[in-house]
């Protein structure tokens, strides 16, 4: 350090910073890491100079700074973090994530340095932070008065810093432009867990609790097996709570039942641990590396929802480090080396020798008192209590459900009904349904029902699950008997409706129930609601009806046993197809402008229908459903989900040999190529684009072929071959015009307009778009996007015509927001931001830029051909406003929702209303004289023979 640097004395705020994961970043970037490190240092030093901080030490990627003023120190950190976020790094993966820690204490420099424990405390605070986070001590919080403009401090509570005996209260700096959500600080606190809070008392199980604890202490993998409702989850959570102090790195609960795809098991565990995906690295590798050096207990619940994926992650975790232990609950074992399988027994039903109540009776007493408003059962009912728990086989969840019945029944009445559990329990109902013949297996029901399995139907048991099946009499005393207890009271119509309702993933209205049943459903539906097997939820527009998940799973099993599954689920697929078609039609049955909002409430049902199409139904019907979700997937940032469903449908086709017409295959392949491009899978995009073209040519569908060929210019744009890309667009447009399918070539029209805009051929672009407007308006699927207005707005911006730009862009934005095209709305927000900047509304422009980028990031989308233009305009705006003002406004915009940002943009004043309207100033650019729209198709029609794309296309396939 230079001796000329002034070192503050007295109350000094020390700041430490470094790059989180710098070693990993250096390995990832290789020789490109050094320029990133230099730029990181430059940005930090610029903020230090602006806030009069003293740089004491710079080593590698870390800084050690001293400030005489705590507010200045916080301001420096805030400015530095914003500068790091806003800086244009070579790639997103190259952006360094810097953590910062501050502490204020009394210190005096000696010989150009500080020798004080306050320095070490500041270093430990920095070590507790995460990349992008700024932490400070309570002392800094007290001395930082006032705080930086727009900033606040979030109290994170008391934490024990490594190397210090006392606890330090840590605060996180919160301000626009900074991330807010971070995992817990990396401190030495011992009590770390996320165990779910229980709302009922834990009764009994003392012997089992002690036995299971010994197993967990002696073995690294313990799997708790048992029937559904046996209490596996509750016992595991209670035991884990006892062991929190034993594991310094925490006890972490993960519900595998919520994981809908095997590939997401590692992500679910990582999310609980606060880990984030690393570029180019499998999530399981990041998870294993994190856990390798830690002592922690991972509780994986309901692993039978994803058994193979759970087993794979568990084996990787255990092999990666000796300090990790896993306590799992499942219906079947994993068969992994070192696994200890512990079968949970039913609650004891016989009273112990000391005369106390058995665990099962104690549980029933506790829950009955709760169900009856705190009133305990009469002592005379003790014998009946024991009869109830014996008939329920001591299963905790069955006892819980039985206690709920004691709201209206005495214990004796309940006991009498359970004696005849397979018979008619509703004495007042005529013609009860006879007990069905058991056909197939009735395996154990999982504690938390997996909706995916429920919708797809029960799967055949593994040998392990067959080994625990009981005889018919015993089987009816398990959890299934508890649900059957209500099911047996239903008449044939109500029972059939219950089974068929299992195909729906969520609530349904009365009209849907009527459509499904093909009959008036009011009477059987009333029975189901009265018996609490279906919940009625009233709304202003009419009631909806839904089943609880365990009942849905039970009904789905009954559906398969009755031989009705194929018919019911095919009916559900037909309903889903019908619902998709209705989304494109108005009340009069005529086509209306497509609104993606109409698809939002259908998503769960459409996924359930697709699941059936991929496992037991028609793949062709599934392709039709996928086609209806095409734009919804992409506009909601779900292109990857769309690809996964298509892959599964291809597998179903291969499995069944179902014949799919070439035109339908071509449409599916074309959709797949668009989704692959949006998801960054360029080789896959090219492969399916070629398949789509081959199938379209085979089908002889000119419109379909035009849609496929319209996207051929995109890879050329990616390679910078703009002249060739323009030629390809013109060729496709010519051919489509000759074939009278110009509407199907709108993608090429918009692509050509973008290229013309890019090279400044504004008059030709405007003429082309003018000719395309009636074509777009005639297509209900296209017109909600208002791509013509979006592109005309871009042309007007380039001409300097703010009035035309304002009018076109607001029309496009209003339509896109009104019809749910969120991804495209981001482009329009950016364009309105440019219009605001040109009109002198600089702060509004910065806010809109921030909002657009935040939404685009959440959708995992890229700006495509507009990217350089947005970046150039943002840089220009930053130069006009200055870094601080731009960052503040940009950060404010990033906090806005898409709807709030759109409202801000739509509220921008029309340029003509301003006294100094730019359109009418002397030196303002004027639009070129308008000519009648020229025909862009000047050559005789011919079939294009466009070469295969020479490079993978860009991720974003949207135009306008």
């Amino acid at each position: 350090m230079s001796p000329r640097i002034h070192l503050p004395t007295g109350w000094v705020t020390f700041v430490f910073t470094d790059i989180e994961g710098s070693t990993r970043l250096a390995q990832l970037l290789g020789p490109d890491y050094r320029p990133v490190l230099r730029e990181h240092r430059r940005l930090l030093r610029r903020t230090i100079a602006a806030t009069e901080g003293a740089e004491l030490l710079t080593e590698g990627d870390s800084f050690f700074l001293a400030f005489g003023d705590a507010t200045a120190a916080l301001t420096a950190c805030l400015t530095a973090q914003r500068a790091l976020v806003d800086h244009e790094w070579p790639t997103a993966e190259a952006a360094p994530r810097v953590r910062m820690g501050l502490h204020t204490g009394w210190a005096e420099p000696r010989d150009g340095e500080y020798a004080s424990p306050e320095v070490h405390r500041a270093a430990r605070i920095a070590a507790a932070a995460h990349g992008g986070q700024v932490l400070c001590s309570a002392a800094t919080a007290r001395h930082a008065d006032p705080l930086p403009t727009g900033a606040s401090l979030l109290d994170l509570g008391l934490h024990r810093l490594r190397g210090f005996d006392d606890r330090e209260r840590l605060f996180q700096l919160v301000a626009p432009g900074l991330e807010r959500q971070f995992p817990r600080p990396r401190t030495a606190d011992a009590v770390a867990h996320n165990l779910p809070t229980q709302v009922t008392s834990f009764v009994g199980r003392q012997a089992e609790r002690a036995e299971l604890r010994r197993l967990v202490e002696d073995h690294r993998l313990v799997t708790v097996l048992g029937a559904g409702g046996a209490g596996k989850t509750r016992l595991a959570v209670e035991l884990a709570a006892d062991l929190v102090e034993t594991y310094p790195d925490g006890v972490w609960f993960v519900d595998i039942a919520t994981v809908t795809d095997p590939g997401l098991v590692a992500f679910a565990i990582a999310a609980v641990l606060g880990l984030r995906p690393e570029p180019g690295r499998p999530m399981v590798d990041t998870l294993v590396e994190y856990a390798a050096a830690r002592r922690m207990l991972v509780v994986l619940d309901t692993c039978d929802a994803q058994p193979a994926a759970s087993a794979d992650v568990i084996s990787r975790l255990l092999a990666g480090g000796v300090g990790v232990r896993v306590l799992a609950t499942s219906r079947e074992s994993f068969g992994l080396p070192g696994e200890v399988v512990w079968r949970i027994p039913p609650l004891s039903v016989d009273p112990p020798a000391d005369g106390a109540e058995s665990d099962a009776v104690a549980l029933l007493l506790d829950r009955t008192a709760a169900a009856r408003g705190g009133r305990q059962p009469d002592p005379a009912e003790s014998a009946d209590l024991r009869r109830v728990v014996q008939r329920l086989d001591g299963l905790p969840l069955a006892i819980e459900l039985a206690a709920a019945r004691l709201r209206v029944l005495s214990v004796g009445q309940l006991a009498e009904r359970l004696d005849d559990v397979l018979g008619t329990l509703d004495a007042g109902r005529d013609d009860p349904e006879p007990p069905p013949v058991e056909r197939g297996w009735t395996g154990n029901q999982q504690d938390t029902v997996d909706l995916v399995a429920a919708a797809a139907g029960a799967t055949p048991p593994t040998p392990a699950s067959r080994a625990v099946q009981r005889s018919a009499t015993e089987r009816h005393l398990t959890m299934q008997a508890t649900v059957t207890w209500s099911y047996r009271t239903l008449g044939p119509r109500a029972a059939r409706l219950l089974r068929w309702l299992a195909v729906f993933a969520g609530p349904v209205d009365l009209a849907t129930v009527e459509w499904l049943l093909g009959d008036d459903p009011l009477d059987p539906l009333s029975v189901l609601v009265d018996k609490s097997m279906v919940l009625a939820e009233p709304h202003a527009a009419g009631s909806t009806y839904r089943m609880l998940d365990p009942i849905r799973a039970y009904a789905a099993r009954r559906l398969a046993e009755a031989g009705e599954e194929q018919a019911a689920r095919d009916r559900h697929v037909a309903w889903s197809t019908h619902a998709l078609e209705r989304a494109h039609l108005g009340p009069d049955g005529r086509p209306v402008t497509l609104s993606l909002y109409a698809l939002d409430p259908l998503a769960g049902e459409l996924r359930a229908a697709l699941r059936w199409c991929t496992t037991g139904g028609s793949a062709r019907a599934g392709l039709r459903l996928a086609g209806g979700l095409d734009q919804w997937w992409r506009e909601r940032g779900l292109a990857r989900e769309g690809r996964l469903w298509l892959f599964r449908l291809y597998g179903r086709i291969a499995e069944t040999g179902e014949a799919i017409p070439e035109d339908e295959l071509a449409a599916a392949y074309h959709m797949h190529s668009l989704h692959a491009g949006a998801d960054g899978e360029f080789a896959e995009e090219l492969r399916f684009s070629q398949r789509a073209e081959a199938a379209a040519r085979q089908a002889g569908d000119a419109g379909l072929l035009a849609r496929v060929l319209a996207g051929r210019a995109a890879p050329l744009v990616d390679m910078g071959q703009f002249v060739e890309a323009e030629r390809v667009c013109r060729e496709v447009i010519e051919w489509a015009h000759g074939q009278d399918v110009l509407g199907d070539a709108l993608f090429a029209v918009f692509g050509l307009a973008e290229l013309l805009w890019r090279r400044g051929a504004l008059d030709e672009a405007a003429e082309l778009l003018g000719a395309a407007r009636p074509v777009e308006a005639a297509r209900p699927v296209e017109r909600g996007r208002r791509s013509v207005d979006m592109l005309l707005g871009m042309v007007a911006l380039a001409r300097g015509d703010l009035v035309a730009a304002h009018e076109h862009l607001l029309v496009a934005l209003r339509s896109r927001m009104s019809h749910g095209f969120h991804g495209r709305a981001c482009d329009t927000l950016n364009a309105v931001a440019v219009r605001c900047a040109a009109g002198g509304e600089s702060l509004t422009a910065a806010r809109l830029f921030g909002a657009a980028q935040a939404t685009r990031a959440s959708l995992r989308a890229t700006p495509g051909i507009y990217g350089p233009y947005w970046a150039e305009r943002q840089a220009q705006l930053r130069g006009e406003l200055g870094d601080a003002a731009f960052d503040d406004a940009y950060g404010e915009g990033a906090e806005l929702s898409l709807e709030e940002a759109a409202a801000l943009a739509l509220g921008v004043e029309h340029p003509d209303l301003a006294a100094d309207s730019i359109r009418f100033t002397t030196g303002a650019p004027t639009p070129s004289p308008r000519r009648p729209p020229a025909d862009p198709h000047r050559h005789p029609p011919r079939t294009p023979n466009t070469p295969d794309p020479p490079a993978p296309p860009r991720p974003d396939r949207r135009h306008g």
Side-chain angles (χ1 to χ4, degrees):
M1 183 194 73
S2 171
R4 290 175 293 180
I5 295 179
H6 171 70
L7 298 181
T9 186
W11 290 106
V12 181
T13 299
F14 299 103
V15 179
F16 282 85
T17 80
D18 69 352
I19 298 176
E20 181 185 53
S22 57
T23 302
R24 174 71 58 189
L25 186 62
Q27 293 172 343
L28 176 68
L29 299 181
D32 294 332
Y33 175 67
R34 187 171 296 277
V36 170
L37 183 61
R38 282 199 302 267
E39 193 65 7
H40 151 258
R41 290 174 179 168
R42 184 188 69 80
L43 292 173
L44 290 188
R45 287 194 173 113
R46 186 177 67 185
T47 61
I48 295 166
T51 49
E52 300 180 354
E55 180 181 341
L56 286 90
L57 178 66
T58 302
E59 182 177 352
D61 59 289
S62 62
F63 276 78
F64 173 31
L65 315 168
F67 292 79
D69 180 76
T71 298
L74 279 173
T75 301
C77 292
L78 174 58
T79 305
Q81 289 286 16
R82 285 172 171 168
L84 290 164
V85 170
D86 293 334
H87 186 72
E88 293 184 17
W89 300 98
T91 63
E93 293 80 7
R97 296 180 56 80
V98 178
R99 54 184 181 175
M100 302 180 179
L102 303 87
H103 172 63
T104 303
W106 186 269
E108 297 179 353
R110 292 288 187 272
D111 300 325
E113 63 181 8
Y114 295 93
S116 169
E118 311 296 351
V119 174
H120 298 280
R121 189 176 291 270
R124 291 305 186 188
I125 292 174
H130 298 271
Q133 187 179 36
V134 180
L135 294 182
C136 71
S137 65
T140 299
R142 287 194 303 271
H143 285 84
D145 188 16
L147 290 171
T149 303
S152 61
L153 293 175
L154 177 64
D155 189 349
L156 301 181
L158 294 171
H159 295 268
R160 181 178 291 111
L161 302 176
R162 300 185 188 279
F164 289 86
D165 294 332
D166 60 324
R167 290 182 178 268
E168 180 67 50
R169 185 172 295 278
L170 298 181
F171 293 83
Q172 177 183 320
L173 181 63
V174 178
L178 268 62
E179 289 186 47
R180 182 183 178 94
Q181 299 298 327
F182 292 94
R184 67 193 184 283
R186 297 185 175 100
T187 57
D189 298 273
V191 180
H193 69 85
N194 71 328
L195 296 174
T197 301
Q198 304 299 326
V199 297
T200 58
S201 59
F202 184 72
V203 179
R205 295 281 197 199
Q206 297 306 315
E208 294 91 336
R209 197 169 178 171
E211 180 183 355
L212 186 57
R213 177 167 185 160
R214 287 193 297 270
L215 292 175
V216 172
E217 290 172 349
D218 295 340
H219 303 276
R220 297 186 59 207
L221 172 58
V222 178
T223 305
V224 179
L225 295 188
K232 302 185 294 294
T233 298
R234 185 63 185 271
L235 179 59
V237 170
E238 293 294 331
L239 174 62
D242 293 342
L243 299 174
V244 166
E245 296 290 343
T246 306
Y247 294 90
D249 294 305
V251 175
W252 307 107
F253 179 89
V254 185
D255 186 5
I256 304 300
T258 63
V259 180
T260 58
D261 189 276
L264 299 180
V265 170
F267 283 84
I269 301 174
V272 167
L273 297 176
L275 303 179
R276 304 181 183 187
E278 297 181 30
R281 191 183 194 202
M283 190 71 248
V284 69
D285 290 348
T286 301
L287 178 62
V288 170
E289 179 181 310
Y290 173 85
R294 287 171 168 79
R295 287 187 56 205
M296 62 183 183
L297 175 65
V298 180
V299 182
L300 300 181
D301 187 43
T302 320
C303 292
D304 43 288
Q306 300 290 348
S310 298
D312 180 64
V313 174
I314 290 171
S315 64
R316 293 287 303 277
L317 278 174
L318 297 180
V322 297
V324 180
R325 291 175 185 260
V326 176
L327 175 61
T329 72
S330 181
R331 289 192 300 169
E332 56 185 293
S333 64
F334 301 109
L336 293 174
E339 178 188 19
V340 173
V341 177
W342 186 78
R343 297 188 180 277
I344 186 171
L347 289 172
S348 61
V349 296
D350 298 321
D354 59 6
E357 295 289 357
S358 67
D359 286 350
V361 172
L363 178 62
L364 184 57
L365 285 169
D366 182 86
R367 302 302 191 257
T368 300
R372 292 178 173 179
R375 292 183 292 107
Q376 294 285 345
D378 190 277
E381 297 180 302
S382 297
D384 289 329
L385 287 171
R386 285 191 288 272
R387 286 177 58 199
V388 168
V389 299
Q390 287 171 350
R391 296 303 297 167
L392 295 178
D393 205 22
L395 293 173
L397 187 52
I399 292 173
E400 300 262 6
L401 294 177
R405 290 294 183 181
L406 293 177
R407 292 190 182 98
V408 294
L409 297 175
S410 69
V411 180
Q413 289 174 320
L414 176 62
E416 291 298 325
R417 289 174 178 267
L418 290 177
D419 285 339
D420 190 20
V421 68
L422 296 180
T424 303
L425 299 179
D426 186 358
R429 179 166 298 279
D430 296 329
D431 300 324
E433 179 189 15
V437 178
E438 296 292 345
R439 302 182 304 172
W441 67 287
T442 53
N444 304 324
Q445 177 150 342
Q446 58 198 56
D447 294 333
T448 306
V449 177
D450 183 352
L451 288 181
V452 177
T459 55
T462 63
S465 61
R466 284 197 183 94
V468 299
Q469 292 178 22
R470 300 178 176 183
S471 65
T473 302
E474 294 171 324
R475 197 163 57 238
H476 286 119
L477 301 178
T478 64
M479 177 60 192
Q480 182 171 328
T482 306
V483 183
T484 305
W485 182 84
S486 295
Y487 181 79
R488 294 300 186 204
T489 68
L490 302 176
R493 293 185 67 213
R496 180 175 181 268
L497 177 58
L498 183 74
R499 295 192 300 270
W500 281 56
L501 283 176
V503 302
F504 286 96
V508 294
D509 58 18
L510 186 62
T512 299
V513 179
E514 185 174 4
W515 189 92
L516 177 73
L517 206 59
D519 192 5
D520 181 5
L522 188 57
D523 288 343
L525 186 60
S526 299
V527 171
L528 296 178
V529 171
D530 289 343
K531 293 184 176 296
S532 299
M533 302 193 80
V534 169
L535 300 181
E537 299 175 331
H539 304 281
S543 294
T544 59
Y545 308 92
R546 69 180 181 93
M547 286 191 291
L548 296 176
D549 294 343
I551 297 178
R552 179 183 290 111
Y554 175 87
R557 179 172 297 171
R558 287 293 189 182
L559 184 70
E561 292 171 352
E564 301 168 335
E565 184 172 32
Q566 186 77 42
R569 295 200 183 278
D570 286 346
R571 185 78 167 156
H572 179 252
V573 170
W575 177 88
S576 301
T577 305
H578 174 73
L580 267 179
E581 293 171 352
R582 290 296 308 170
H584 293 72
L585 303 175
D588 59 356
R590 300 176 62 185
V592 295
T593 303
L594 173 64
S595 173
L596 299 185
Y597 293 126
L599 303 186
D600 288 335
L602 298 176
E605 299 302 338
L606 296 176
R607 286 175 174 132
L610 280 170
R611 194 173 297 117
W612 171 248
C613 290
T614 60
T615 55
S618 165
R620 184 181 181 185
L623 291 177
R624 286 196 293 269
L625 291 174
L629 285 169
D630 175 25
Q631 294 195 70
W632 185 85
W633 273 324
R634 282 185 284 147
E635 291 292 323
R636 295 294 185 269
L638 300 172
R640 179 165 300 181
E641 177 185 330
R643 290 171 50 230
L644 290 174
W645 282 120
L646 287 170
F647 276 127
R648 291 167 182 167
L649 288 168
Y650 303 151
R652 178 66 177 171
I653 294 171
E655 176 188 351
T656 62
E658 183 178 4
I660 309 295
E662 290 292 337
D663 59 334
E664 296 179 23
L665 275 179
Y669 292 154
H670 177 57
M671 175 177 61
H672 195 143
S673 71
L674 296 178
H675 284 245
D679 208 25
E681 297 293 339
F682 307 136
E684 182 180 318
E685 178 190 28
L686 176 60
R687 184 169 68 252
F688 279 94
S689 176
Q690 292 169 342
R691 291 182 183 178
E693 181 176 345
R697 292 187 185 278
Q698 194 80 2
D701 186 330
L704 182 59
L705 183 57
R707 292 198 298 275
V708 171
L709 294 178
R712 298 296 298 274
L716 299 174
V717 173
D718 290 334
M719 295 188 67
Q721 299 179 17
F722 300 111
V723 174
E724 179 65 12
E726 186 174 325
R727 185 194 66 78
V728 169
C729 284
R730 292 184 187 277
E731 192 175 55
V732 173
I733 293 170
E734 291 172 3
W735 177 80
H737 182 75
Q739 298 291 322
D740 197 23
V741 289
L742 187 58
D744 292 292
L746 273 180
F747 194 85
V749 172
F750 297 148
L752 178 57
E754 288 179 341
L755 290 165
L756 293 171
W757 164 82
R758 181 189 175 278
R759 66 176 175 85
L762 303 181
D763 288 346
E764 185 180 355
E767 292 168 356
L768 178 69
L769 291 167
R773 182 182 288 282
V775 180
E776 179 189 54
R779 296 174 65 84
V781 176
E782 308 280 351
R783 61 189 177 214
R785 302 197 294 251
R786 287 283 186 157
S787 298
V788 169
D789 277 299
M790 172 65 192
L791 287 166
L792 285 173
M794 297 298 293
V795 170
L797 285 176
R799 286 171 166 170
D801 186 348
L802 294 193
V803 171
H806 181 96
E807 292 171 352
H808 283 301
L809 293 176
L810 263 61
V811 166
L813 178 60
R814 189 176 290 109
S815 180
R816 290 176 171 192
M817 290 301 300
S818 297
H819 297 95
F821 292 93
H822 294 168
R824 295 172 191 271
C826 290
D827 283 335
T828 316
L829 284 178
N830 277 317
V832 176
V834 175
R835 170 259 172 273
C836 290
E841 300 179 65
S842 301
L843 291 176
T844 299
R847 292 188 186 102
L848 291 176
F849 275 132
Q853 177 56 33
T855 301
R856 187 173 293 283
S858 69
L859 296 177
R860 300 190 299 275
T862 57
I865 199 171
Y866 299 127
Y869 182 70
W870 307 143
E872 176 186 346
R873 296 300 176 176
Q874 287 187 40
Q876 181 179 340
L877 183 61
R878 179 183 288 275
E880 295 171 0
L881 287 174
D883 288 339
F886 179 87
D887 289 340
D888 286 344
Y890 191 94
E892 290 172 8
E895 296 292 326
L896 298 176
S897 67
L898 178 61
E899 291 74 17
E900 291 169 336
L904 175 63
L906 293 172
V908 172
E909 187 178 68
H910 194 288
D912 272 353
L913 298 178
D916 57 345
S917 174
I918 292 179
R919 190 183 197 196
F920 302 107
T921 56
T922 304
T926 57
S928 304
R930 297 191 179 272
R931 301 192 297 270
D935 187 353
H937 322 295
R938 303 182 178 89
H939 305 291
R942 62 186 180 87
T943 302
N945 186 19
T946 311
D948 286 340
R954 62 180 181 272
D956 197 331
R957 286 294 167 273
R958 293 190 296 270
H959 289 275

